[in-house]
Amino acid sequence: MLSTFLLLGMLVLGAALVQIYQEKERLQRALSRYESLISREDIERQLDSNIYLKQTELEQLLGEQEQLNTQIRFLKQQTSELEEESYLQSLGFYEPKYSFIRSEDYQHRFDQITAERKQMVKNNTAAICQKEWAIGEDVKKGRRMINSYLKLIREAFDVVCDNAIDEAKTSNINQLRKRITSNFERLNKSSAILECQITEEYLGLRLREIDIKYELEIKKQEEKEKVQLIREQMAKEKKEREALEKARQQEEEAIERKRRYQEERDKIQQEMAQAFGKKLEELERQNKSYEALIAKAQKDEQDAIERRRGLKSGTIYVLSSIGSLEKDVYRILMTQSSDPDKYVRNMNPYVPFPFNIRLKIYSEDASATIQRLHDKFNEQRVNTINPRREFFRASLEEIKKVAYSIRNETTDFRINIQEFEDIPLENEYLRTLADRTKR
């Protein structure tokens, strides 16, 4: 009986243990799922962290790339500027280093630099030696030898510089500077074995001398041209004044003669009222004579007025030539020719394409009118050095606007403006383009 109870107890206990193990396994499986969930969250956090780091690195790389692009653009710009400068230098272009107003100021600065250079020669600092030499055991002889050698290379260098400075007014300044620098380098290279050299400071003074000498010659030429232009303008104005004064005097003389003739005619007409017979016939003959003289005086007066007007009047042309000039570049000139259109047609026969008339302005005071036009567009001159070159960079609409404004503001004399088609019907340039297209 007891054994039966024990057996039953063991069976119950075994079943309970089986349930416990089964529940344990179920809990372990559930736990493993949660563990995998926890691990996935960790992985996702790790991935997010990695993505953030990658994005940060990418942003840094993009920032560095933009900096590199900026540097590349800057270097390209510098390269372009250097290429342009090199090209301009090959053409003899020179960038002025001084901005004096008068040639006397350039000459004064040139003399100052020359004095500094001569002082360096006097102080024995133009050419120097870095080593103490001796001939045998005699240091003094060695020093005299070196001083003679330094004087020799310095004088050889000065000959090259002096010749270049003499040529500065006519030659390519950049080539002259290069000649000086090349000789400086050559002499110093050949003197290196003795540890002797012409100093950089001395080279700098010689280069400054040639720069200011070149600019001095340019300024002298500019002043000469300005003086010549002023003289020509003064001579022209004097001639115009004299011609105007002569026409005015002729007008006054004609008016005075007409007045005297009219007085004499009036007296004769009064006498005619009381005369008869041969006396009347004689007075009538005299009356007709004075009528003719009065008519002649009136004609002389009118001719003098017309001459006076003609001396001041002229035609102003606004011309273009796309084939010969750039777009929106116009020539604004004046002529007092009796046939102004013919003058324009025959003007500058050696340009590739003829000029086309865009505006034709008749003015009773052409000199004053064209001066106002030129003054208005003075800052837009194509050639800023020579004022005789009457070419201006502006749109046709700008020029029209200014021309009409001058006409509307002028009350002392008459101005007439005639416009022409924007695209001339007979344009050799357009026909040339069409011909090229066919080929």
Side-chain angles (χ1 to χ4, degrees):
M1 187 74 175
L2 180 59
S3 60
T4 300
F5 282 113
L6 288 172
L7 181 60
L8 289 171
M10 291 179 66
L11 289 172
V12 172
L13 181 60
L17 287 173
V18 169
Q19 288 180 354
I20 290 171
Y21 278 112
Q22 289 177 345
E23 181 65 19
K24 180 181 178 182
E25 289 178 0
R26 186 183 66 77
L27 291 173
Q28 285 178 342
R29 285 196 299 272
L31 181 62
S32 66
R33 287 198 300 271
Y34 285 112
E35 286 175 351
S36 65
L37 179 62
I38 294 170
S39 177
R40 185 179 301 166
E41 290 175 350
D42 290 341
I43 292 172
E44 288 177 353
R45 282 196 298 271
Q46 183 64 35
L47 287 173
D48 290 340
S49 176
N50 290 341
I51 291 171
Y52 174 75
L53 291 174
K54 294 296 182 184
Q55 287 178 339
T56 303
E57 292 176 2
L58 180 61
E59 290 174 357
Q60 290 177 347
L61 289 173
L62 289 173
E64 292 175 0
Q65 182 182 10
E66 181 60 29
Q67 291 178 354
L68 288 173
N69 289 335
T70 302
Q71 292 178 359
I72 289 171
R73 287 193 295 270
F74 176 72
L75 290 173
K76 282 183 177 179
Q77 181 180 355
Q78 281 190 324
T79 302
S80 175
E81 291 174 354
L82 288 172
E83 289 176 350
E84 181 180 359
E85 181 180 354
S86 176
Y87 173 70
L88 290 172
Q89 287 181 354
S90 70
L91 297 177
F93 178 79
Y94 171 82
E95 183 69 29
K97 299 177 175 59
Y98 301 88
S99 57
F100 297 129
I101 298 175
R102 304 176 305 162
S103 59
E104 290 84 354
D105 298 326
Y106 283 96
Q107 184 64 54
H108 178 66
R109 188 72 186 104
F110 179 82
D111 294 340
Q112 285 181 331
I113 295 171
T114 301
E116 292 178 33
R117 175 179 62 80
K118 289 181 178 179
Q119 188 62 42
M120 286 192 70
V121 174
K122 187 176 180 180
N123 295 341
N124 296 321
T125 55
I128 60 175
C129 186
Q130 304 291 344
K131 183 177 179 180
E132 187 76 41
W133 291 92
I135 297 177
E137 298 295 328
D138 195 334
V139 174
K140 290 184 178 180
K141 285 185 178 180
R143 188 174 297 131
R144 286 196 298 271
M145 179 196 71
I146 290 299
N147 288 338
S148 297
Y149 180 77
L150 291 175
K151 181 180 179 182
L152 179 67
I153 61 172
R154 195 263 305 160
E155 288 180 346
F157 180 63
D158 281 341
V159 169
V160 173
C161 295
D162 291 339
N163 289 336
I165 289 172
D166 289 339
E167 297 176 28
K169 59 183 176 182
T170 57
S171 301
N172 184 327
I173 181 64
N174 295 304
Q175 293 297 326
L176 295 176
R177 286 175 58 88
K178 185 177 179 181
R179 185 196 302 175
I180 291 174
T181 305
S182 297
N183 276 272
F184 170 81
E185 294 172 351
R186 181 177 58 80
L187 288 169
N188 278 356
K189 183 177 180 180
S190 63
S191 303
I193 191 171
L194 295 175
E195 298 187 31
C196 295
Q197 64 175 2
I198 301 167
T199 62
E200 293 282 347
E201 183 181 358
Y202 193 73
L203 168 66
L205 287 174
R206 300 257 47 175
L207 290 175
R208 286 165 64 190
E209 274 184 314
I210 195 170
D211 286 341
I212 201 164
K213 178 66 173 179
Y214 181 72
E215 294 186 35
L216 169 62
E217 295 301 328
I218 291 176
K219 179 59 69 174
K220 283 182 178 179
Q221 185 62 29
E222 288 178 1
E223 291 175 346
K224 182 179 178 181
E225 290 178 357
K226 286 181 180 178
V227 169
Q228 181 65 23
L229 185 62
I230 291 171
R231 286 176 178 172
E232 290 177 1
Q233 185 66 26
M234 290 176 64
K236 181 182 177 182
E237 290 175 356
K238 180 181 178 182
K239 186 177 179 180
E240 289 177 353
R241 284 196 306 270
E242 290 174 350
L244 286 169
E245 180 61 22
K246 183 177 179 180
R248 187 187 63 78
Q249 289 177 357
Q250 290 174 342
E251 180 185 352
E252 290 178 353
E253 289 172 359
I255 292 172
E256 178 61 22
R257 280 188 285 114
K258 184 177 69 172
R259 184 189 63 77
R260 291 200 312 269
Y261 295 152
Q262 286 174 341
E263 288 179 355
E264 294 296 330
R265 183 199 60 186
D266 293 343
K267 289 179 182 179
I268 290 171
Q269 288 178 351
Q270 289 175 2
E271 292 179 10
M272 286 172 59
Q274 299 177 356
F276 55 89
K278 290 184 178 181
K279 180 65 174 177
L280 179 59
E281 291 176 2
E282 177 64 20
L283 291 172
E284 287 176 347
R285 185 184 63 78
Q286 292 180 7
N287 183 67
K288 287 181 181 179
S289 177
Y290 277 107
E291 289 286 357
L293 290 173
I294 290 170
K296 178 66 168 58
Q298 286 178 332
K299 185 178 182 303
D300 291 345
E301 177 188 357
Q302 190 60 38
D303 289 345
I305 293 172
E306 292 298 325
R307 278 197 300 275
R308 187 158 52 84
R309 288 177 178 173
L311 289 169
K312 300 189 70 175
S313 66
T315 306
I316 299 164
Y317 285 91
V318 177
L319 308 174
S320 70
S321 177
I322 300 176
S324 301
L325 306 174
E326 301 176 25
K327 184 182 178 183
D328 285 341
V329 172
Y330 295 88
R331 184 175 183 183
I332 305 175
L333 62 93
M334 180 195 81
T335 177
Q336 291 180 303
S337 170
S338 58
D339 189 351
D341 288 356
K342 182 179 179 181
Y343 170 80
V344 171
R345 286 195 304 270
N346 297 333
M347 183 179 59
N348 292 359
Y350 301 110
V351 295
F353 299 95
F355 288 101
N356 299 301
I357 302 172
R358 296 303 179 86
L359 282 182
K360 185 176 175 181
I361 306 169
Y362 171 80
S363 173
E364 289 183 342
D365 193 341
S367 296
T369 304
I370 196 170
Q371 187 63 50
R372 290 185 65 182
L373 272 169
H374 283 182
D375 289 345
K376 185 66 178 179
F377 294 103
N378 188 56
E379 297 298 322
Q380 293 161 262
R381 285 183 177 272
V382 175
N383 186 334
T384 60
I385 303 300
N386 190 345
R388 300 185 186 187
R389 304 297 183 183
E390 304 163 310
F391 295 90
F392 302 86
R393 194 181 305 280
S395 70
L396 185 59
E397 290 304 316
E398 284 182 277
I399 299 173
K400 286 181 182 179
K401 183 178 179 181
V402 172
Y404 281 107
S405 174
I406 292 173
R407 186 196 66 177
N408 296 335
E409 293 171 0
T410 300
T411 57
D412 297 337
F413 50 87
R414 181 169 53 92
I415 297 177
N416 292 331
I417 300 176
Q418 182 181 358
E419 295 187 27
F420 292 80
E421 294 290 336
D422 288 344
I423 301 178
L425 296 177
E426 295 182 7
N427 191 313
E428 293 180 11
Y429 176 66
L430 295 178
R431 290 162 58 193
T432 299
L433 291 181
D435 184 60
R436 288 175 181 169
T437 305
K438 293 177 184 178
R439 296 179 181 179

